[in-house]
Amino acid sequence: GSQRMSSFHADVVQRAFDEHELIDVLDPFEPTTGVNVSWGHGVSAHLGNTLTPTQVQHVPHVTFAGEHGKVYSVYMTDPDAPSRRDPKFREWHHWWVGNVREGHSVEDGEVISEYVGSGPPKGTGLHRYVVIVFEQLNGYDEFDGRERLPLTGEGRGKQSTREIMSTYNLKPVGINFFQAEWDDYVPHLYAKLSGGK
């Protein structure tokens, strides 16, 4: 069933969407579920709160209220690459898990792009990190032609959420987001992405 998540208010989400100009990523829509994004230790996304790269370095636990029989994708992107003022690499693609079946955990889905935490370059201010839950209107999908991305920086810059939505027939049903700027974990992340070199 489409049971509401506790304390989910579509209008609050839509206000935050407008206020933080998430139209940079996708068009406004009416959310039908809340999206809980949590890293444990009391750290979670709250519609634009500020977290640190250190806090979000590991894959978050994501929950949402799906509808019976439907299949979902969980997806994260940063439109502010390399900075919000000069987003010439918009968007930087952080994470994509597809084929998440209603009633199953996101961990049971298929990883299309391995999770990469926030790595905003030094001096580029706050970046927005947007986590979207999509209903896969085609149902279960092989995502043909979509390269599976390991834990690397390759293939992640200059991506378009709108294009991906259109290619794979994805309909947004929920959204959450946080902001982060550089901290001293970021160089460690860069080292990981370049294969530890």
Side-chain angles (χ1 to χ4, degrees), residues 66-104:
E67 291 185 47
H68 186 67
K70 293 190 171 172
V71 184
Y72 298 89
S73 274
V74 173
Y75 174 101
M76 179 167 128
T77 188
D78 168 13
D80 304 323
S83 71
R84 191 158 174 178
R85 276 190 312 279
D86 179 27
K88 58 180 180 246
F89 303 130
R90 171 174 296 169
E91 301 158 33
W92 211 87
H93 176 79
H94 279 263
W95 190 35
W96 184 3
V97 181
N99 297 324
V100 177
R101 296 183 186 279
E102 187 274 327
H104 291 255

Side-chain angles (χ1 to χ4, degrees), residues 141-148 167-168:
D141 198 323
E142 301 283 343
F143 295 106
D144 281 341
R146 180 74 193 179
E147 195 189 341
R148 303 306 193 258
T167 302
Y168 297 104

Side-chain angles (χ1 to χ4, degrees), residues 149-169:
L149 295 178
L151 189 60
T152 154
E154 298 295 307
R156 293 178 181 265
K158 292 211 157 172
Q159 298 291 303
S160 160
T161 296
R162 285 182 172 91
E163 222 165 87
I164 288 171
M165 286 169 64
S166 142
T167 302
Y168 297 104
N169 208 5

Side-chain angles (χ1 to χ4, degrees), residues 21-89:
E21 299 177 332
L22 299 192
I23 195 156
D24 288 344
V25 174
L26 75 170
D27 293 340
F29 67 98
E30 174 133 16
T32 54
T33 175
V35 180
N36 190 295
V37 186
S38 161
W39 289 267
H41 312 290
V43 177
S44 53
H46 291 293
L47 299 176
N49 58 323
T50 300
L51 300 173
T52 67
T54 301
Q55 290 174 308
V56 302
Q57 59 183 283
H58 302 299
V59 182
H61 182 61
V62 174
T63 54
F64 60 93
E67 291 185 47
H68 186 67
K70 293 190 171 172
V71 184
Y72 298 89
S73 274
V74 173
Y75 174 101
M76 179 167 128
T77 188
D78 168 13
D80 304 323
S83 71
R84 191 158 174 178
R85 276 190 312 279
D86 179 27
K88 58 180 180 246
F89 303 130

